[in-house]
Amino acid sequence: MQNVTTLPARNPAPAGRVVEGTARVKSNDIVTGDYRLMVLDAPREMLDCRAGQFFHLLCPVLGGFEPFLRRPMSIYGFDAEAGELRFLYKVTGEGTGALALLRAGDDLNLLGPLGNGFTIREDWRNLLLVARGVGLATLAPLAMAAREAGCNLTAICSARAKNLLMSVEEFRATGAEVIAVTDEDGTSSVEALREVIEGRIAEGGIDAMYTCGSNRILTLLQDIGARHGIPGEIALEQQMACGLGMCHCCVRSFRRGGAIVHERVCREGPVFSIQEAMGW
Amino acid sequence: MVNLTTRIGTMTLKNPIMPASGTFSEELADVFDLDCLGAHVTKTITREIRGGNPTPRVCEVQAGMLNSIGIPSKGLEYFKTSILPHYADYETPLVVSISANDADSFARLCADVTLPGVAAIEVNISCPNIEEDGKAFAMRPRTTGEVMTKLRAATDLPLWAKLTPNTGETVEVAQAAEEAGADALVVSNTLLAMAIDVRTRRPKLGNLMGGLSGPSIKPIALRMTYQCAKAVNIPIIGCGGISEVEDVLEFLIAGASAVQVGTATFINPTVMPRLIDGLAAYMHHAGIASIPDLVGSVRDEEAADGVVFMEAAL
């Protein structure tokens, strides 16, 4: 009966842009506190990624953790030439708890890349990103995309404390200007952020704004965006089952055309218009 | 080469593997070629546009998940103009799952989806979310018979009745569906369940209760498949927790002529093509030439007294 329980591998669909496959863990180390960085040696066909997209990870049953469903995780970094895929995550539950136990040489099954990435319109020159905590990880690949598009990027990075500021090096490495604000310095309040952003708008203008991870920042950018007519995008999270758009588990509400509409974060998102997004 | 074809009434499927309604849509074509499947089964369609339930809509439990998605539907017109044309490109037959809140509107919808390009209609008379506290037609033989009689009169297409495990009258409900003209039974839908977060003391689903699916319900669905196969003369399509080739074999041996795969696709989106290949490989190695050699081949002769006892215990 040995062959009964083994599922043979099948050639992937020829036209499928979404790949289900295995990547090998190169490293999976603590960055700071509960945050970990996992670097994977991933097959090339998985690495045609866009900033803002995500993968659906089959977290292992390991060390007492028994995750059942896959876990969606935004891409922290990808490098097709080096065959590398990176995730920055906070260990919070069953899925990430199991993920944290993976060691170099272990295999991890992934599905992706999934969803729609951030937009950088051709006529945009000055981009602003404002994000907080682990939300900064989702925006890290945007710095590379901004450079490739020939745009200037200002990154306002917010966290409770300095050691929790994510992605700052990634942003600096691409030539972005980084403004770090923290709760411990008293520089991260909404009013302080508003002053900095309004200052930038007055100086040279901002063509588009991007954010992830904070309700307060979303509200602030909605207000500033509406006032100055600046478009923006937000990457949103929601609990998911299939990750492909089949189960309709990950819907969120959006304001559109005077009505409230529901959209799937996995399929229509995870990147949405800042003005249409609703707080949580 | 083994023969994987199976017959569901007048339909011949190229293999016995198909998706369960609600766990499949055209988006899965991003991952593999959907023409390898025995049938395509749509998410349940309602006539009106429905938004679905509040989030969270799913939660994990041991060896399974609960869902209270609540049948979000873009309505009948969207089905006709957008979903149906999409499946015209496939050779695999399309089974349309439908539901409604009362028998007469159910029958009208059944007539309205009797369209070219639709091979069969699966009537979801069992979804635990659509009515208050999960009450559904298929919980009782009388309501099953009434709705199935009206549905039968509304279409000439093969009619598959999807049963519920939320009943103490599995056999009577199955017989009522058969008597009213069902061409096949899908056994079964999710089991009404609940989970609570002990720290917040809040139910884990936005809708308080939801349907349990995944490996944890497999023995229940298998028991029902066995009971139904013994009690009716129409084909059974097994459904509930199937994720391995051995699960497929169990349902076929219990009496199912085909199976539906649901939750397993969420975990492993390529599970259905892998089950098809795995089933063929198993049959080849075991010297089984065709699916009918497996269907209903359970060796239960010596356990007949036990079966009577268990029926009484229900």
Side-chain angles (χ1 to χ4, degrees):
Chain A
M1 289 293 279
Q2 196 186 352
N3 58 315
V4 170
T5 47
T6 350
L7 293 179
R10 186 179 252 250
N11 292 331
R17 62 172 186 86
V18 176
V19 181
E20 188 228 318
T22 304
R24 182 147 293 173
V25 177
K26 285 168 104 170
S27 62
N28 186 24
D29 301 322
I30 295 171
V31 180
T32 175
D34 294 332
Y35 293 92
R36 278 177 179 264
L37 172 65
M38 184 165 61
V39 182
L40 298 170
D41 188 357
R44 288 292 157 91
E45 64 268 23
M46 271 187 195
L47 292 168
D48 185 11
C49 305
R50 306 283 174 274
Q53 284 187 307
F54 70 96
F55 276 85
H56 216 17
L57 313 186
L58 190 61
C59 303
V61 172
L62 206 61
F65 295 105
E66 291 181 37
F68 180 70
L69 297 166
R70 284 176 182 261
R71 297 295 193 271
M73 196 171 285
S74 58
I75 300 165
Y76 181 58
F78 62 94
D79 184 337
E81 302 220 330
E84 214 172 81
L85 191 56
R86 295 188 293 278
F87 295 99
L88 185 86
Y89 60 101
K90 188 178 182 187
V91 182
T92 53
E94 204 78 3
T96 48
L99 216 53
L101 298 177
L102 289 175
R103 292 291 165 260
D106 288 345
D107 284 341
L108 177 66
N109 180 289
L110 302 94
L111 174 71
L114 295 165
N116 301 298
F118 293 106
T119 315
I120 302 178
R121 236 169 56 192
E122 268 184 34
D123 56 327
W124 290 346
R125 280 295 156 266
N126 299 309
L127 311 180
L128 172 77
L129 75 81
V130 191
R132 184 171 164 86
V134 80
L136 284 161
T138 303
L139 291 173
L142 185 66
M144 201 168 68
R147 188 175 64 177
E148 281 167 12
C151 291
N152 305 311
L153 177 69
T154 303
I156 303 180
C157 305
S158 170
R160 270 190 295 119
K162 273 207 174 60
N163 66 329
L164 297 174
L165 281 166
M166 300 292 148
S167 310
V168 168
E169 294 317 312
E170 279 75 8
F171 292 141
R172 287 210 172 106
T174 59
E177 179 198 5
V178 175
I179 301 170
V181 297
T182 61
D183 299 356
E184 62 181 10
D185 290 350
T187 49
S188 62
S189 73
V190 167
E191 284 323 303
L193 289 176
R194 183 189 294 276
E195 211 169 297
V196 175
I197 298 167
E198 290 284 0
R200 289 292 146 140
I201 293 170
E203 277 167 31
I206 290 169
D207 295 315
M209 307 185 290
Y210 304 87
T211 189
C212 178
S214 161
N215 208 10
R216 285 190 310 152
I217 293 174
L218 168 64
T219 311
L220 174 67
L221 295 187
Q222 282 178 330
D223 182 52
I224 292 174
R227 237 178 248 221
H228 298 279
I230 302 170
E233 289 184 326
I234 181 167
L236 290 170
E237 291 189 321
Q238 181 63 291
Q239 187 196 30
M240 292 183 190
C242 76
L244 289 165
M246 301 185 290
C247 70
H248 293 252
C249 153
C250 66
V251 295
R252 292 187 81 106
S253 302
F254 297 88
R255 288 188 210 92
R256 186 172 302 154
I260 304 280
V261 297
H262 290 111
E263 300 229 281
R264 298 166 293 184
V265 171
C266 74
R267 194 77 188 183
E268 284 81 42
V271 173
F272 293 93
S273 150
I274 281 182
Q275 294 303 337
E276 290 183 354
M278 295 177 73
W280 57 93
Chain B
M1 193 59 195
V2 295
N3 183 352
L4 286 182
T5 60
T6 188
R7 287 181 65 86
I8 305 294
T10 55
M11 294 168 73
T12 300
L13 310 183
K14 67 184 122 187
N15 64 65
I17 308 292
M18 68 180 89
S21 177
T23 65
F24 175 79
S25 62
E26 45 277 29
E27 282 90 353
L28 196 56
D30 288 353
V31 188
F32 68 87
D33 179 3
L34 303 184
D35 243 344
C36 70
L37 301 173
H40 295 155
V41 184
T42 68
K43 192 166 172 61
T44 297
I45 290 147
T46 58
R47 178 180 300 278
E48 68 283 6
I49 296 169
R50 287 173 54 92
N53 283 331
T55 56
R57 290 179 169 186
V58 297
C59 77
E60 284 190 355
V61 293
Q62 277 193 329
M65 61 178 271
L66 307 188
N67 89 78
S68 60
I69 305 291
I71 316 192
S73 169
K74 289 187 176 171
L76 176 62
E77 278 316 300
Y78 183 82
F79 167 73
K80 288 202 278 194
T81 55
S82 296
I83 299 177
L84 188 55
H86 176 87
Y87 288 99
D89 296 339
Y90 293 104
E91 183 188 282
T92 295
L94 178 68
V95 181
V96 176
S97 169
I98 59 168
S99 193
N101 287 316
D102 63 86
D104 289 325
S105 40
F106 214 144
R108 280 195 300 277
L109 181 59
C110 189
D112 288 344
V113 297
T114 301
L115 297 165
V118 178
I121 299 171
E122 179 180 288
V123 288
N124 183 1
I125 56 173
S126 60
C127 180
N129 286 326
I130 201 147
E131 289 182 313
E132 217 176 316
D133 290 336
K135 206 173 85 185
F137 298 100
M139 287 172 71
R140 297 181 189 95
R142 179 183 55 79
T143 45
T144 301
E146 283 167 6
V147 72
M148 288 306 297
T149 300
K150 288 183 173 173
L151 289 163
R152 178 70 285 168
T155 188
D156 292 328
L157 285 174
L159 199 56
W160 299 0
K162 188 159 180 182
L163 303 190
T164 177
N166 303 314
T167 177
E169 300 175 280
T170 298
V171 167
E172 294 79 1
V173 166
Q175 287 167 337
E178 181 186 34
E179 275 163 34
D183 295 293
L185 304 178
V186 180
V187 184
S188 68
N189 210 315
T190 57
L191 187 62
L192 193 62
M194 191 173 182
I196 297 171
D197 183 326
V198 295
R199 282 161 304 172
T200 62
R201 302 196 184 185
R202 286 198 177 130
K204 288 187 178 175
L205 293 175
N207 191 50
L208 310 185
M209 290 179 267
L212 173 64
S213 65
S216 55
I217 62 155
K218 197 195 80 178
I220 296 168
L222 186 74
R223 178 268 296 171
M224 291 178 65
T225 294
Y226 174 79
Q227 286 180 302
C228 292
K230 290 282 173 191
V232 300
N233 292 311
I234 50 178
I236 310 294
I237 298 158
C239 178
I242 294 166
S243 54
E244 307 279 349
V245 175
E246 193 159 332
D247 302 332
V248 176
L249 291 167
E250 255 188 297
F251 276 87
L252 296 178
I253 293 166
S257 298
V259 297
Q260 294 187 344
V261 180
T263 302
T265 295
F266 293 167
I267 316 295
N268 178 354
T270 57
V271 71
M272 287 189 283
R274 292 164 73 183
L275 288 172
I276 295 164
D277 292 352
L279 181 63
Y282 168 78
M283 288 170 64
H284 176 76
H285 287 296
I288 298 164
S290 67
I291 298 294
D293 296 342
L294 287 163
V295 175
S297 62
V298 59
R299 297 174 62 180
D300 56 356
E301 308 87 352
E302 287 161 27
D305 291 345
V307 173
V308 172
F309 171 75
M310 291 308 292
E311 286 284 346
L314 293 167

